[in-house]
Amino acid sequence: MQQRSFVFLLAVACLLQVESSSPKSRPVLSSAQQYPSTLELSEDGLSLMEPAIVPEPEDGGRWWYTPSRKAHIHSGKSKSRLMQSLMLSNKVDEDLRLPSDVLPSNYTIRLLPFIEEGNFTTDGHIDIFVDCVRDTNSISMNAADITFKKLSISVLDLSNNNPLTMVDFIDEQSTREIVTIRTAEKLMAGKRYKISMDFVSILNDELRGFYRSSYMENGVRKWLAVTQMEAPSNTRRAFPCFDEPNMKAEFSIILGRKTTMRTASNMNIISSTPIEGMPDYVWDYYETTLKMSSYLVACLVSEFEDVATTTSHRVPFRLWVKPESRDLAGYSLSVAPGMQEFYESYFKIAYPLPKQDLAAIPDFSAGAMENWGLVTYRESALLIDVPRESRSRKQSVADINAHELAHQWFGDLVTTDWWSIIWLNEGFATYVEFLGTNAVEPDFRMLDQFVVRELHYVFGVDALETSRPINYPATTPDEITRMFDAISYDKGSCIIRMAADFIGLETFNRGLTRYLNARSYKNAVEDDLWLALQQQVDEDGISLPTTVKDIMETWTLQMGFPLITVTRDYTTGGASVSQDRFLIRRNPNSTDTHVYSWWVPLTHTNGGDLLVRKTEWISKDQPSTTIGNLGASSDNWVIFNYDQQNLYRVAYDSENYRLIAQQLMVDHERILDNNRAQLLDDAFVLASVHLLPYKSALDLSLYLKYEKEYVPWNAVLSELSYIDSMLYSQPQYSHWLTHMMNLVTPYYSHVGFQESTLDAHLTVFARSDAMSWACKLQIADCVDNSKAKYAELMKEPDNSLILSPNQKSTILKTGVENGGQAEYDFAFTQYTSKYDTSFLIAAASSKNVSRLNSLLNKMLDSESGIRLGDVNNLFNNVASNPVGNAVATDFLVNQWDAIEQSWLGTGYFVSFFRYVCNRQNTQAQLDRLLELRNTHVDILGSSNTVQQGIDVVVENIKWMELHQNEIGNWLADNIPPATTTTQATPSFANGNAKMNAAFMLAVIFFGMFFKP
């Protein structure tokens, strides 16, 4: 879940993770035999567990899904699940919705899971107390993969305790995931009824509903049962229910277990009693929950141990974990209580449950799930050995905890009315997680990281003609699943941050408390939020140009975001300001006739009035407006989007760019860190899409030799990486290397190679970035120190103290790149013995063609030690290697038959094709790719992913035609003598997403969007 600018988002596309011929996104880690514990994975390995940009869509689906780094990942294994999805996808509108004639108020649910090989089922009994809203003879509820004992089904009129006669039971689980009870007598509006039934559900291995998981302990497989209910159709797989978020009820849970096991649920245990007729089994009875949505029900039956906090808190915290991992629970238990207490203070609403449990699940499809009172996590998202792990891993664990605990208010206490507006849950949790993490880990400077982790990321997602509005219709399970994406999470957080800025933080926070109080234990729609904020705005006397609703609906009901173009009048002191939707590429054949315009807060400052912020507005009805007086003299710069609090890009006239560049060179700290990041990111992105001369962007970049802060540097590295990949081996490349070395050397010298325990958090992040580039540029100190560390590791490969986890990736790659056969062999052996993917990535960084060919050939041998789940990672990193790109392309073309006949089969051809496209930028390379596609049209011909790759190469060729000489001329005019390096030949070692020639992927998304 690392931060990257807009082009990095596009670059992530080269991290496709597929395990077979299935077109799903990366595999779920479902077996200890297939994969090591996540705790054993390197930083690179862990990054690959995050949502990856997706392979081609199933069933011709749309490409508008972009997984958020926080979004839940849904994956299935069985053919039956795929067929069920196909059938459900054909249902539209209300056909999949419940009729709402009766609504639940209370459930009593008794579940006895048999967690035994050969009988993975759950015996269940349920009593549902319902209120009749409209007279009806039918009771419809959700169910999926459940076997009902029809003779047990009864409907009781609670006004007289008389049963109603059931005349029919309609089972549409396979088509609608709905069952319907028909009664002879009508249920009458205003009366209460009790529905009772026995059933058997499947304790499945699909990581959804009530499912089974396992882990190894002392050579013995241990089984557990756990729930993952969120998204459209998971609770109904555990028990029949009214499985829509706006049908809230109270739940009384009874869980059966062996006496050797323990259980956990949303509330505390009341009592335990033996199960009659079943020796060694007991029932655990739980307190009744507060009113909540069905997807928040949580159950855990396991041999886990619970670890309590060592400090006292109003609400007790425990962490459930397999026994061997209990020592890894400390960090989460040290930060989570403080986060929850911060939220109580921030929202001014006490957490209403009697306890808070966290559970680390070995097999879990999501990063984490916010079940009220029992939050479940993937192990790697909750457990960490802090001294052995990187700072980014530590931040990730804190961040995920903050996100899930924020949901206890936004999502649990107040729940979105329907999945089409899931951003009310996820957008707020994403925004607030930065506050929660900052409260307990102020050294992380989370608020400073927001622009590079969220805002710039969203600029990539939402700059596509095939994006979607935040508020978007969704009915089928597939449509709803796609709503858990970067638009809901990340763009949602960005518009919330923007609203907080133009309303004012104190008023906004009071408005949130008003909203939460008004909708507690209920559901909410957007208008509920807008009303609460408007009431607070009015009460506090805040002046806005129109209502909160009018402003915000321009951001939630249409996709995209604006490019604000500022053209100054240096005579009058004013400016003309226009808005237009920013797009990475415009489709000349687009049929979209919508006129995109927004209510935009034009916040600005200038060199004369440093840190004085002024605000004007451009309305949704104004393509342009005039600001009469900016408050700046003709020799002072002006910067719009103060502190980059708002969701828009900015372009200026050439003179204003000159003034800004001049200021940056003289004293860059007079401009805020976020605005420096904004200036660099905006300028290079605008140049890359041909809206700004590269001269303006490159002029700005000259000041980087003075920049020491992480955020501005991190904001521009991806764009610089793209230029680097395009100019590699071109005549301009030597000047480009000199330019980059002159910028990077001072940055690297500032942070240094050696770590210290006293290093600030962002200093560690800055060092990671600086080292990656310094070693890539062959800056002597970085290369020599890395080689020395690598040699030390070769002598003591089991000494985990030799390499800092923050530097490990760069050191390993640099060691292989600058070493010989021994260094390469060591990396591969370490990978096969430890299954640490960072060593495999290092091996793929070799600049020796023979070794790279050998590595790819080993990929075809199932006995070579290369895991199936690492095949795409390996090929992608070879293809991203400037030497390896030609090797990978030759291998794909010449070894096609060998690949197909190997254990890989045909399932990898599409992604392999896509990977080799990223660095290619000549007509000859394009012609060869087209010939390959045409030769294997049966596999490649109809693939959207393949067409994406071709579009990338076409765009790269266009970029070269337009900008190669333009940049070359600028470099010739502006480059001073080079910094000393260890060798003249450049090294392109970085095989991770950030260094994968980001902008070349921009056109990937033209005419299509993402889908998992």
Side-chain angles (χ1 to χ4, degrees):
M1 299 162 79
Q2 288 306 297
Q3 61 279 17
R4 293 296 180 260
S5 60
F6 117 90
V7 288
F8 167 66
L9 167 71
L10 305 182
V12 178
C14 59
L15 289 181
L16 280 162
Q17 298 298 300
V18 295
E19 188 175 337
S20 67
S21 59
S22 168
K24 294 181 174 65
S25 58
R26 60 160 189 81
V28 173
L29 304 183
S30 58
S31 168
Q33 292 178 327
Q34 288 177 292
Y35 299 98
S37 164
T38 53
L39 300 175
E40 299 170 12
L41 292 176
S42 67
E43 182 63 25
D44 294 282
L46 287 163
S47 70
L48 292 172
M49 294 176 61
E50 298 304 325
I53 303 302
V54 293
E56 63 183 300
E58 300 172 16
D59 318 317
R62 290 169 293 180
W63 277 79
W64 51 255
Y65 179 90
T66 305
S68 166
R69 292 155 296 176
K70 303 172 186 64
H72 301 312
I73 309 156
H74 302 283
S75 178
K77 300 189 230 177
S78 66
K79 181 178 179 181
S80 62
R81 178 173 178 182
L82 174 60
M83 292 306 297
Q84 187 171 56
S85 176
L86 287 172
M87 287 184 284
L88 289 172
S89 68
N90 293 325
K91 302 292 181 179
V92 296
D93 301 328
E94 298 303 313
D95 196 34
L96 295 175
R97 298 292 300 272
L98 297 177
S100 301
D101 294 331
V102 296
L103 296 175
S105 60
N106 305 83
Y107 293 78
T108 298
I109 305 165
R110 190 178 68 217
L111 300 173
L112 175 57
F114 294 99
I115 319 172
E116 300 173 357
E117 294 190 39
N119 182 25
F120 291 116
T121 60
T122 299
D123 277 1
H125 175 83
I126 192 164
D127 296 321
I128 310 176
F129 297 84
V130 299
D131 296 302
C132 184
V133 178
R134 289 184 295 270
D135 294 357
T136 182
N137 289 91
S138 299
I139 304 171
S140 293
M141 66 186 74
N142 296 113
D145 299 329
I146 287 178
T147 301
F148 290 91
K149 300 178 182 179
K150 293 184 181 178
L151 293 178
S152 71
I153 299 173
S154 66
V155 180
L156 187 68
D157 184 337
L158 293 176
S159 67
N160 53 26
N161 285 330
N162 288 332
L164 278 63
T165 304
M166 185 177 77
V167 297
D168 199 4
F169 181 78
I170 303 170
D171 190 334
E172 299 177 282
Q173 294 187 73
S174 63
T175 56
R176 298 176 64 209
E177 297 186 347
I178 289 175
V179 295
T180 301
I181 301 169
R182 293 254 174 99
T183 59
E185 304 87 356
K186 275 194 173 184
L187 285 75
M188 305 302 294
K191 298 181 71 173
R192 298 192 75 220
Y193 299 85
K194 182 175 79 168
I195 307 162
S196 301
M197 60 186 73
D198 296 331
F199 60 91
V200 176
S201 60
I202 300 171
L203 205 59
N204 66 73
D205 63 350
E206 298 175 357
L207 311 184
R208 59 178 183 161
F210 201 17
Y211 70 92
R212 66 183 185 267
S213 176
S214 68
Y215 59 93
M216 300 302 293
E217 182 178 282
N218 299 323
V220 177
R221 182 170 297 282
K222 298 286 188 176
W223 292 97
L224 64 139
V226 68
T227 52
Q228 165 58 345
M229 304 295 207
E230 189 173 34
S233 57
N234 286 344
T235 312
R236 64 193 69 173
R237 299 176 193 283
F239 53 85
C241 59
F242 295 80
D243 198 12
E244 298 191 2
N246 58 9
M247 296 184 177
K248 289 192 170 186
E250 298 175 350
F251 295 82
S252 298
I253 306 296
I254 306 166
L255 292 176
R257 61 173 171 86
K258 289 183 176 181
T259 54
T260 56
M261 291 184 159
R262 301 178 66 189
T263 67
S265 189
N266 304 81
M267 303 295 285
N268 284 324
I269 291 180
I270 302 171
S271 63
S272 299
T273 61
I275 298 179
E276 185 176 350
M278 296 185 66
D280 301 323
Y281 277 83
V282 298
W283 292 117
D284 287 338
Y285 293 81
Y286 282 85
E287 295 174 344
T288 300
T289 70
L290 301 176
K291 192 175 183 181
M292 67 184 194
S293 299
S294 59
Y295 75 86
L296 295 172
V297 171
C299 304
L300 173 64
V301 183
S302 71
E303 295 183 38
F304 281 6
E305 296 180 357
D306 65 294
V307 184
T309 56
T310 58
T311 53
S312 177
H313 301 276
R314 184 186 71 81
V315 176
F317 270 73
R318 293 181 301 179
L319 194 152
W320 293 88
V321 65
K322 60 190 182 188
E324 68 178 25
S325 299
R326 63 176 296 124
D327 292 341
L328 303 178
Y331 181 68
S332 284
L333 284 174
S334 72
V335 296
M339 291 170 174
Q340 185 156 292
E341 290 164 356
F342 166 77
Y343 292 143
E344 289 184 311
S345 174
Y346 180 73
F347 298 131
K348 297 180 174 56
I349 298 173
Y351 174 75
L353 272 63
K355 57 93 176 178
Q356 184 66 275
D357 284 350
L358 318 175
I361 309 302
D363 301 314
F364 199 65
S365 65
M369 174 59 207
E370 66 268 17
N371 316 300
W372 217 359
L374 175 55
V375 185
T376 44
Y377 299 73
R378 185 184 296 172
E379 284 184 327
S380 63
L382 185 63
L383 306 178
I384 182 171
D385 184 354
V386 172
R388 292 181 55 196
E389 298 281 3
S390 69
R391 291 287 188 94
S392 60
R393 273 275 289 127
K394 181 180 179 182
Q395 178 175 301
S396 176
V397 170
D399 191 53
I400 294 171
N401 272 295
H403 184 94
E404 302 310 320
L405 294 174
H407 271 310
Q408 308 299 294
W409 286 263
F410 284 99
D412 297 0
L413 181 66
V414 178
T415 310
T416 183
D417 189 72
W418 183 247
W419 305 107
S420 58
I421 48 174
I422 191 62
W423 79 273
L424 287 178
N425 289 6
E426 299 299 348
F428 267 103
T430 302
Y431 169 71
V432 172
E433 77 187 44
F434 283 81
L435 307 179
T437 305
N438 188 68
V440 298
E441 292 281 16
D443 183 53
F444 288 4
R445 292 173 58 186
M446 294 299 295
L447 303 185
D448 294 338
Q449 292 188 55
F450 189 94
V451 296
V452 287
R453 290 192 59 209
E454 299 295 329
L455 187 62
H456 293 181
Y457 179 82
V458 170
F459 281 153
V461 175
D462 209 27
L464 311 167
E465 287 187 326
T466 45
S467 184
R468 69 165 179 87
I470 290 177
N471 186 332
Y472 193 77
T475 302
T476 70
D478 188 47
E479 290 170 345
I480 293 168
T481 297
R482 293 176 186 178
M483 296 301 291
F484 289 84
D485 67 356
I487 297 297
S488 293
Y489 283 70
D490 305 293
K491 185 179 181 182
S493 72
C494 289
I495 69 164
I496 292 164
R497 177 174 176 261
M498 179 173 64
D501 185 67
F502 71 71
I503 290 173
L505 283 176
E506 292 185 3
T507 295
F508 181 78
N509 293 346
R510 286 192 288 268
L512 291 189
T513 300
R514 181 189 291 265
Y515 164 74
L516 290 171
N517 279 321
R519 305 308 301 172
S520 289
Y521 309 106
K522 301 174 186 175
N523 296 83
V525 296
E526 283 185 359
D527 281 353
D528 296 316
L529 176 61
W530 308 150
L531 175 63
L533 292 176
Q534 187 63 54
Q535 290 172 337
Q536 199 64 51
V537 162
D538 293 342
E539 185 176 301
D540 291 359
I542 303 298
S543 177
L544 295 174
T546 185
T547 65
V548 172
K549 175 183 170 71
D550 284 347
I551 294 170
M552 295 306 295
E553 283 189 344
T554 66
W555 296 92
T556 63
L557 299 184
Q558 62 181 347
M559 58 185 167
F561 60 89
L563 168 65
I564 298 298
T565 301
V566 179
T567 305
R568 295 178 61 183
D569 185 328
Y570 293 90
T571 301
T572 65
S576 171
V577 181
S578 63
Q579 63 166 311
D580 187 31
R581 184 184 177 193
F582 177 79
L583 289 170
I584 290 174
R585 178 182 174 186
R586 294 181 185 273
N587 178 5
N589 301 314
S590 173
T591 58
D592 186 357
T593 59
H594 179 73
V595 177
Y596 291 88
S597 60
W598 295 261
W599 275 100
V600 184
L602 302 173
T603 58
H604 58 91
T605 189
N606 63 75
D609 292 325
L610 182 63
L611 300 183
V612 174
R613 165 178 160 162
K614 300 180 180 180
T615 303
E616 276 86 20
W617 287 82
I618 186 169
S619 83
K620 64 181 180 180
D621 301 319
Q622 292 178 295
S624 63
T625 189
T626 299
I627 299 176
N629 184 6
L630 292 171
S633 63
S634 60
D635 58 353
N636 279 327
W637 49 265
V638 171
I639 291 176
F640 275 64
N641 199 356
Y642 184 88
D643 202 28
Q644 207 173 20
Q645 293 287 322
N646 303 296
L647 185 62
Y648 56 83
R649 291 196 180 277
V650 185
Y652 302 101
D653 58 84
S654 59
E655 175 61 13
N656 197 56
Y657 276 119
R658 186 191 68 79
L659 292 170
I660 292 171
Q662 184 180 68
Q663 176 65 69
L664 289 171
M665 292 296 288
V666 172
D667 181 5
H668 63 277
E669 292 183 349
R670 282 179 61 86
I671 297 173
L672 297 175
D673 290 8
N674 283 351
N675 282 128
R676 301 201 300 275
Q678 171 208 10
L679 287 164
L680 292 165
D681 181 57
D682 280 355
F684 275 94
V685 169
L686 292 172
S688 67
V689 296
H690 328 306
L691 294 176
L692 182 73
Y694 259 107
K695 179 184 185 307
S696 296
L698 291 165
D699 283 348
L700 291 178
S701 76
L702 287 171
Y703 101 93
L704 282 170
K705 61 186 175 183
Y706 305 117
E707 181 63 77
K708 302 299 187 294
E709 289 294 327
Y710 164 76
V711 169
W713 262 108
N714 187 262
V716 74
L717 287 181
S718 296
E719 287 85 346
L720 298 176
S721 295
Y722 176 67
I723 298 174
D724 187 277
S725 68
M726 290 296 96
L727 296 184
Y728 183 85
S729 78
Q730 301 297 323
Q732 299 84 359
Y733 197 59
S734 60
H735 278 166
W736 171 254
L737 283 180
T738 301
H739 173 57
M740 287 307 302
M741 285 187 287
N742 283 318
L743 300 184
V744 170
T745 299
Y747 187 41
Y748 171 75
S749 298
H750 172 70
V751 295
F753 185 90
Q754 299 300 326
E755 277 194 348
S756 165
T757 56
L758 300 178
D759 283 336
H761 188 69
L762 291 191
T763 298
V764 175
F765 281 12
R767 181 179 294 109
S768 295
D769 283 349
M771 275 185 60
S772 177
W773 268 89
C775 284
K776 167 183 165 178
L777 294 167
Q778 296 292 293
I779 292 173
D781 185 80
C782 187
V783 172
D784 292 344
N785 276 295
S786 294
K787 289 170 64 178
K789 283 289 186 182
Y790 195 92
E792 189 178 350
L793 183 67
M794 290 179 69
K795 294 178 182 177
E796 298 182 74
D798 295 324
N799 186 346
S800 62
L801 300 179
I802 292 175
L803 300 188
S804 162
N806 305 301
Q807 301 173 306
K808 180 179 178 181
S809 175
T810 297
I811 289 172
L812 293 182
K813 286 183 280 191
T814 305
V816 173
E817 288 177 47
N818 295 275
Q821 187 68 39
E823 285 75 15
Y824 167 84
D825 289 342
F826 174 77
F828 188 77
T829 300
Q830 288 297 294
Y831 162 72
T832 56
S833 62
K834 298 177 179 177
Y835 286 114
D836 182 339
T837 55
S838 58
F839 285 98
L840 183 64
I841 292 170
S845 301
S846 171
K847 294 302 179 283
N848 183 285
V849 171
S850 176
R851 292 173 197 142
L852 293 175
N853 266 314
S854 173
L855 191 59
L856 291 178
N857 276 292
K858 287 178 180 178
M859 184 179 69
L860 304 185
D861 180 3
S862 62
E863 302 300 320
S864 68
I866 295 175
R867 297 176 301 178
L868 198 62
D870 290 332
V871 165
N872 270 310
N873 190 14
L874 167 59
F875 194 90
N876 175 38
N877 278 279
V878 173
S880 300
N881 179 335
V883 174
N885 186 264
V887 175
T889 305
D890 289 343
F891 185 83
L892 181 60
V893 172
N894 300 326
Q895 299 297 322
W896 184 280
D897 291 342
I899 296 171
E900 185 171 0
Q901 292 165 15
S902 75
W903 68 321
L904 303 184
T906 61
Y908 289 84
F909 284 129
V910 168
S911 55
F912 286 180
F913 184 99
R914 179 62 196 84
Y915 294 148
V916 300
C917 295
N918 296 339
R919 296 185 60 86
Q920 301 193 9
N921 56 13
T922 69
Q923 188 63 45
Q925 290 171 324
L926 176 61
D927 291 342
R928 191 182 191 198
L929 291 172
L930 291 172
E931 181 182 0
L932 179 63
R933 182 185 67 172
N934 294 337
T935 300
H936 302 286
V937 68
D938 56 327
I939 295 175
L940 303 178
S942 61
S943 167
N944 286 329
T945 304
V946 169
Q947 186 58 48
Q948 287 180 349
I950 291 169
D951 289 344
V952 164
V953 181
V954 170
E955 185 68 16
N956 288 344
I957 293 170
K958 178 181 177 182
W959 188 94
M960 292 291 287
E961 292 172 349
L962 292 174
H963 303 304
Q964 178 183 0
N965 291 330
E966 176 191 9
I967 293 174
N969 292 336
W970 183 92
L971 290 168
D973 292 340
N974 288 273
I975 299 310
T979 302
T980 302
T981 63
T982 58
Q983 61 184 58
T985 303
S987 166
F988 195 95
N990 198 339
N992 63 27
K994 182 177 178 184
M995 309 301 287
N996 273 341
F999 177 72
M1000 70 175 70
L1001 299 177
V1003 295
I1004 291 173
F1005 312 108
F1006 169 63
M1008 54 193 78
F1009 212 50
F1010 306 101
K1011 181 183 183 296

